[in-house]
Amino acid sequence: RVLIPSMRYETWESDRYRPRRRAISGAAKLARGCCLLYGSLLGFVLLFIGNPTKFVDAPAFQSLYSDIEPGLHVGLFACLAFLVSAARWPVNAIVQATVLILFAAGSEAIQIWLPNRTPRWGCFIQDVAGLFLGFVTWIAASDLLASFRRWRR
């Protein structure tokens, strides 16, 4: 049986070769499920429902929606980035951010082929701003939680 201290697992020469797995907490599992569910619902809403003013014919609702639409893009993608960060996927933050930016770009690009939808650069920029806000919020929240845990000891 050969163990190399610098490696995270035993070598192939050992009789029980098995890479070590980090334990995933129940909160991380819940966050991963919520992340997948929220991401799929967000994609569905952005692609197929889009502007909800076509369902409600009230002028007051239409003007309200046009006023809060930029905030909706930022808020929805901030929630998605926060959930992805909280899920603690086994990839680094650069890969997570790249995948989410590609998701935002794809949700705008696919609107070329959808009826009654037009892709806009402004929406993409709002999506990316929301992703940035979500990642920054997670970093601040996790640092605050870590300092609180250190203070409690």
Side-chain angles (χ1 to χ4, degrees):
R1 185 175 196 172
V2 177
L3 279 168
I4 299 174
S6 64
M7 299 181 72
R8 297 184 67 202
Y9 52 85
E10 299 174 8
T11 64
W12 59 273
E13 298 169 352
S14 70
D15 54 347
R16 292 187 293 153
Y17 170 73
R18 189 178 320 148
R20 291 186 189 165
R21 302 178 95 189
R22 289 183 10 191
I24 301 170
S25 67
K29 289 179 184 177
L30 179 66
R32 286 181 184 182
C34 290
C35 178
L36 293 173
L37 180 67
Y38 183 80
S40 59
L41 288 175
L42 180 63
F44 176 77
V45 167
L46 287 176
L47 295 179
F48 297 111
I49 294 178
N51 189 350
T53 58
K54 62 186 173 188
F55 301 115
V56 180
D57 200 20
F61 178 73
Q62 292 175 352
S63 67
L64 174 69
Y65 179 77
S66 64
D67 291 341
I68 65 171
E69 183 189 13
L72 285 175
H73 278 271
V74 172
L76 291 172
F77 276 88
C79 288
L80 181 63
F82 188 86
L83 281 174
V84 166
S85 298
R88 299 186 183 260
W89 295 99
V91 294
N92 63 17
I94 301 295
V95 173
Q96 291 176 1
T98 303
V99 167
L100 290 178
I101 289 172
L102 288 174
F103 176 72
S107 70
E108 289 299 320
I110 203 166
Q111 291 179 21
I112 295 170
W113 296 284
L114 294 175
N116 300 325
R117 300 300 309 268
T118 56
R120 296 186 315 223
W121 281 106
C123 289
F124 174 69
I125 292 170
Q126 292 163 2
D127 296 345
V128 172
L131 293 174
F132 179 75
L133 179 67
F135 282 124
V136 168
T137 304
W138 171 254
I139 290 168
S142 61
D143 285 348
L144 184 65
L145 184 63
S147 65
F148 176 73
R149 285 181 180 159
R150 281 192 304 270
W151 175 76
R152 258 182 89 187
R153 288 185 208 174

